[in-house]
Amino acid sequence: MRISLLDRSRTRAGRDEQAGLVDSVERAVSAEQLGYHRFWVAEHHTVPGIARGAPAVLLAAIGQRTERIRLGSGGVMLPNHRPLVVAEQFLMLEALTPGRIDLGLGRSLGFTAPVREALGRTEASTEDFAAEVGQVRDLLEGAAPLTARPVAAEPPPMHLLATGAGLGIAARLGLGVVLGGPVLHADDVGERVAAYRREFRPHRGSAPHVMVSMDLLVADDDAEARELALPEV
C-alpha cells in the first residue's frame, strides 16, 4: 500500500500565517525523506485556520525543495477557475518538476455566499463540471482547439474528488478517483466503487484507480489527539 499526505497549511495560535506555509514546505521535505509516495495540497479560500488558497503556487515552492515525491492538488476546485488557466498552471508545474505532478480536481464552490460571489461562481451543475473537466484534459493533452503551454511530452495525470456525481464522471472520462469525507461513511460506498469500476471507460490506456483520503491524528494520548482534532470539529 502506498501512503501519501494531503496538506492544508493549518495555522496555529500564536504563530503568523506565513509559518503555516513554511510548515507545509517542510512537511513535504520530511514526507519525501520518510518514503511517502505523494504530497498533495488542497484549495480553500478565506477559511479561518488555513493559510493557503493557491495550490499551484505552493506546489511550485515545494517542487524546488524536493526531488522524488509526487506532488499534486487535492484538489483544485475547478468551478473557481477557467480550464485554460488550470491547464497552464499544471503544465508549468510539470515542466519544472517533470514526471512528478498530479492534478486532482473537485467541484466545490466557496464555503459561504460572499466567497462564492468573490470567486465569480455561485453554482456549478454536474454537466458543467464534467464538460470543464473534459476541457482541462483536452488542453493538457494538446487535443483542444488552442494550445496550452508549455506543451508536455506526457501530461500530468488527472484525478477527481469523488463526492456526489464524481464517481460517475470519473468512470465516463476514464479518470482516477479520490474518496474522502462523507462519501466514505455512506452505506452504499462499496456499491458506488463497484459501479465506478464496472462502468469505467479507459482513456489512453487508463485503468480504474481509487485512492482513499482519511483524517488521521497521531498523538501520545487521547487527550492530545482530541486537542488536535478540535479545529476540525
Side-chain angles (χ1 to χ4, degrees):
M1 179 183 296
R2 290 173 169 174
I3 307 297
S4 304
L5 290 179
L6 172 62
D7 188 88
R8 288 190 288 176
S9 300
R10 295 300 315 225
T11 59
R12 292 289 178 259
R15 304 179 73 208
D16 60 32
E17 296 200 349
Q18 179 185 4
L21 298 175
V22 173
D23 288 347
S24 289
V25 176
E26 295 303 326
R27 274 192 293 272
V29 172
S30 296
E32 179 174 78
Q33 294 170 347
L34 292 169
Y36 281 77
H37 182 58
R38 287 184 169 93
F39 190 90
W40 281 14
V41 300
E43 176 183 339
H44 297 279
H45 296 280
T46 77
V47 176
I50 296 178
R52 170 233 308 137
V57 176
L58 182 57
L59 289 173
I62 293 172
Q64 298 307 300
R65 289 285 308 279
T66 55
E67 298 178 356
R68 300 176 306 278
I69 194 169
R70 293 198 66 85
L71 306 175
S73 57
V76 167
M77 295 301 131
L78 189 52
N80 300 334
H81 310 277
R82 300 310 304 153
L84 175 60
V85 173
V86 174
E88 288 175 334
Q89 289 176 347
F90 278 78
L91 286 171
M92 183 170 289
L93 288 169
E94 175 65 25
L96 293 171
T97 51
R100 292 204 286 140
I101 296 299
D102 301 315
L103 172 54
L105 294 171
R107 183 182 159 200
S108 294
L109 299 166
F111 79 116
T112 64
V115 176
R116 291 190 289 272
E117 291 170 4
L119 291 169
R121 190 82 174 261
T122 58
E123 60 182 25
S125 70
T126 300
E127 295 76 14
D128 288 344
F129 178 64
E132 289 171 2
V133 170
Q135 291 172 30
V136 172
R137 184 172 68 182
D138 286 347
L139 287 159
L140 292 176
E141 296 179 352
L146 69 166
T147 302
R149 301 185 185 280
V151 175
E154 189 63 35
M158 293 172 56
H159 309 266
L160 292 191
L161 306 190
T163 57
L167 278 166
I169 295 172
R172 188 163 70 250
L173 296 178
L175 301 175
V177 293
V178 181
L179 299 179
V183 70
L184 288 178
H185 305 289
D187 293 337
D188 62 346
V189 62
E191 298 172 11
R192 293 188 192 183
V193 173
Y196 161 75
R197 296 184 183 278
R198 184 173 60 251
E199 298 168 5
F200 190 88
R201 302 177 187 174
H203 175 77
R204 297 183 65 181
S206 65
H209 186 219
V210 178
M211 290 182 278
V212 175
S213 177
M214 302 179 65
D215 290 329
L216 299 177
L217 300 171
V218 180
D220 292 332
D221 53 51
D222 289 348
E224 185 181 356
R226 283 192 290 271
E227 184 178 354
L228 290 172
L230 186 60
E232 304 293 335
V233 175

